[in-house]
Amino acid sequence: MTWNRHLAAFAALNGAMAVAVGAFAAHGAGPQIKTLLQTGASYQLAHAVLGVVCAGLAPRIRLTGLAGWLSVCGGLIFCLALAFIGLLSLPPFGAVAPIGGVLMIGGWLVLAFAALRPSPVTA
């Protein structure tokens, strides 16, 4: 199988980080920041999986690589912003979280567009 290895590796690292953040939220975080960390981890994990899927589709379906990169970068930014708010008491990162959200939404929209494009005719 040919795939976008860099996207797959970045997505896998996002998945590992999401599991670590989620585990910390469940076992080590105080009640004030637990929800922030769980939210960030769940979004990041879902978009890590989407990134791996897009990495596999990238060589065959145009724009799926872009969809994957938007998704994993958005998931990382969103999760980090929530972690900085909760763990480091940096409320200004509340303005950064929506950037991650917009990137994640963009990834899904680009994937939808790629799915609806006509397939190229092969001889």
Side-chain angles (χ1 to χ4, degrees), residues 84-107:
F84 287 167
I85 293 166
L87 294 173
L88 302 176
S89 297
L90 295 172
F93 275 89
V96 176
I99 295 169
V102 168
L103 291 173
M104 291 184 288
I105 292 167

Side-chain angles (χ1 to χ4, degrees), residues 8-9 14 19-20 26 32 34 37 39 43-44 48-50 55 60 74 87 93 95 97 104 111:
N14 267 286
V19 172
Q32 306 90 334
K34 188 174 190 166
L37 294 178
T39 300
Y43 275 76
Q44 186 180 20
V49 172
L50 178 60
R60 295 183 304 274
L87 294 173
F93 275 89
M104 291 184 288
L111 183 60

Side-chain angles (χ1 to χ4, degrees), residues 11-62:
L13 291 173
N14 267 286
M17 181 183 159
V19 172
V21 170
F24 178 72
H27 303 289
Q32 306 90 334
I33 63 168
K34 188 174 190 166
T35 302
L36 280 175
L37 294 178
Q38 287 176 331
T39 300
S42 65
Y43 275 76
Q44 186 180 20
L45 186 58
H47 288 84
V49 172
L50 178 60
V52 171
V53 169
C54 288
L57 295 173
R60 295 183 304 274
I61 302 172
R62 291 182 61 196

